Amino acid sequence: MKKTFLTILPALAMHAAVAQNSAVNNAQLLQKNGTLDKARTEIDKAITNPKTSDKAKTWYVRGEIYEGMAQSPIYGKALQPGEGAKTAFESYQKAISLEGKDSDYGKQATTRLDNLYGMALNAGVENYNAQKYDEALNSYRMAQQIRPQDTTALLYAAYAAEAKQDIPSAKENYNKLVAINYKSPQLYDRLLRIARQENNEAEARRVVQQALQAYPTNKTFLLEDLNMALSSGRGPEAIDKIQKAIAADPNNSNLYSVLGSVYEQSKRPEDALAAHKKAIELDPKNFDSQYNLGVYYYNKGADIFKVVNKMDLKTYQAKGKKMEVDGKKYMEQAIPYFEAAMQLKADDAGVRSALQKAYTTVGRKADAERLMK
């Protein structure tokens, strides 16, 4: 009896081992036959069985089955959006963790993971289009784990985070792109927009400087940099920035107009005059420069009349009349610019008032009265 028992024991052990792996083997067989729904049922049993749940093969087969279902137009309908890619990813990762990358199943799982990247990305796009932004983000994060240096998943994740108004996540993904040296004007534009949403001007300035390092002649970022300098009252610095912007966009009338205004603030009237003239040469419809040129000549004339009005009779007789002639010449120079500005903005009270005074000073009373009416 004892001898018979010892003979039967190995047979029982072999039977137990086969039984333990039967669910995995059945799943593989069903997978090869194309009945993936039944294969799924079998493999899901195997991962809950303590005898097979710690085997790399179990998890690798599970990954293959779920990956196949996700790619199938028939069996894919039995899965939630993104479920196939997510389950396959987790299964391949588990297989690698159990035996390592250098084992047979570890190597196969690593290869399958690389192929799975596209599936994860597509699942993210599918969920994004369905406005399921949390699921989309999960898929994009999975794709990031598979290929950490790939920029597409990071960029799409940032878009999905913005769509669900998760600004911190969007910012995190954009900054990850910056960290791996991804360059795109749109990237910096979105980071700048986020900084503005957060009312963080220091961050906005930092983003603009980053953008200019990557794109030193980009008109948008040059103008942003310029506006920051102007708003903080850094006139001389702003002049240098405008000149750089003009070098990048020499036919931009508005840049010359802004340069003229900054020269005015910096007490450089002749430079301002030249800049405004260049602005209207490029675009006669530039209201600001037409008006500012009128103001330049008007003020030159008005300054002369102020001096004349303070003269005593003797001084006036000696040189006052000649100065009045010079003053009127400046007023006459101002009038065409004011008239051009009026054509562009007929309801502008400042232009109307200045033009009316200029008409009166040079003796064009009928024109002055017409403006008053």
Side-chain angles (χ1 to χ4, degrees):
M1 286 293 294
K2 199 169 192 179
K3 189 171 182 181
T4 304
F5 177 77
L6 289 173
T7 303
I8 293 171
L9 186 60
L12 289 173
M14 185 178 294
H15 178 75
V18 171
Q20 290 164 15
N21 287 306
S22 62
V24 179
N25 294 333
N26 287 342
Q28 275 188 307
L29 184 61
L30 291 165
Q31 177 197 3
K32 288 177 182 177
N33 290 336
T35 51
L36 294 177
D37 53 343
K38 294 178 181 178
R40 176 193 186 187
T41 300
E42 290 299 309
I43 201 64
D44 283 348
K45 290 178 187 176
I47 65 162
T48 59
N49 188 329
K51 303 295 185 181
T52 51
S53 63
D54 61 347
K55 305 295 182 184
K57 178 182 177 180
T58 305
W59 292 94
Y60 177 79
V61 171
R62 183 179 187 241
E64 279 193 321
I65 291 168
Y66 274 89
E67 183 180 349
M69 290 185 72
Q71 293 173 333
S72 168
I74 298 173
Y75 294 111
K77 294 176 182 178
L79 300 172
Q80 295 297 317
E83 181 187 0
K86 179 175 182 293
T87 305
F89 169 75
E90 292 170 349
S91 299
Y92 292 139
Q93 288 279 65
K94 181 71 173 179
I96 294 169
S97 70
L98 286 170
E99 287 190 1
K101 286 188 175 182
D102 295 329
S103 66
D104 286 342
Y105 284 112
K107 289 176 181 177
Q108 292 181 68
T110 300
T111 301
R112 301 299 295 223
L113 273 176
D114 196 52
N115 295 333
L116 193 61
Y117 170 83
M119 189 188 298
L121 204 64
N122 290 336
V125 172
E126 182 182 340
N127 281 309
Y128 179 89
N129 290 337
Q131 297 183 353
K132 297 179 179 179
Y133 300 123
D134 287 319
E135 290 89 341
L137 281 168
N138 288 334
S139 295
Y140 293 139
R141 289 187 186 114
M142 185 197 312
Q144 290 171 33
Q145 286 179 272
I146 298 170
R147 296 185 188 173
Q149 294 301 308
D150 190 275
T151 59
T152 305
L154 282 169
L155 193 61
Y156 286 8
Y159 292 163
E162 275 198 89
K164 67 167 288 199
Q165 298 298 306
D166 185 354
I167 300 305
S169 292
K171 187 175 176 181
E172 178 187 358
N173 281 289
Y174 286 133
N175 281 321
K176 283 180 180 178
L177 286 165
V178 173
I180 61 174
N181 207 32
Y182 176 81
K183 290 183 173 66
S184 160
Q186 290 76 20
L187 166 65
Y188 295 112
D189 181 65
R190 287 178 180 269
L191 279 171
L192 181 58
R193 199 182 319 166
I194 289 172
R196 293 263 163 77
Q197 280 181 264
E198 296 175 336
N199 294 316
N200 190 338
E201 279 304 308
E203 176 70 7
R205 285 194 295 272
R206 188 184 69 80
V207 170
V208 168
Q209 293 311 309
Q210 280 184 323
L212 285 173
Q213 285 181 0
Y215 301 96
T217 61
N218 183 283
K219 290 181 285 187
T220 300
F221 301 132
L222 284 166
L223 288 172
E224 287 287 354
D225 193 30
L226 167 61
N227 288 331
M228 288 175 178
L230 288 173
S231 63
S232 60
R234 305 193 308 273
E237 182 183 335
I239 290 171
D240 179 61
K241 293 180 186 299
I242 300 169
Q243 288 170 338
K244 286 180 180 177
I246 288 173
D249 189 11
N251 295 317
N252 190 322
S253 172
N254 288 330
L255 286 176
Y256 282 100
S257 186
V258 172
L259 180 61
S261 298
V262 177
Y263 277 139
E264 289 167 16
Q265 296 170 12
S266 303
K267 309 299 181 186
R268 294 169 60 176
E270 298 305 318
D271 289 328
L273 181 68
H276 285 306
K277 284 187 174 180
K278 181 65 178 178
I280 63 170
E281 176 189 322
L282 291 169
D283 181 11
K285 293 183 179 180
N286 189 313
F287 170 82
D288 289 335
S289 283
Q290 291 283 13
Y291 178 65
N292 285 331
L293 282 168
V295 169
Y296 172 84
Y297 288 112
Y298 179 91
N299 286 342
K300 294 281 277 187
D303 288 342
I304 291 173
F305 283 109
K306 284 180 184 177
V307 174
V308 171
N309 290 336
K310 291 179 181 179
M311 289 178 178
D312 56 35
L313 181 58
K314 183 178 178 180
T315 306
Y316 175 77
Q317 289 175 338
K319 55 182 181 181
K321 289 184 178 181
K322 181 182 180 305
M323 289 180 68
E324 283 181 336
V325 172
D326 292 337
K328 286 182 180 180
K329 285 181 181 178
Y330 282 120
M331 290 292 181
E332 286 168 352
Q333 283 181 279
I335 287 171
Y337 295 113
F338 284 145
E339 288 175 335
M342 276 290 292
Q343 288 180 353
L344 295 167
K345 289 188 179 181
D347 59 347
D348 191 289
V351 179
R352 183 179 297 274
S353 175
L355 182 55
Q356 180 189 339
K357 290 176 183 176
Y359 280 150
T360 302
T361 303
V362 300
R364 293 172 58 175
K365 292 184 180 178
D367 289 325
E369 288 174 1
R370 173 176 53 81
L371 282 180
M372 287 179 69
K373 292 178 183 179

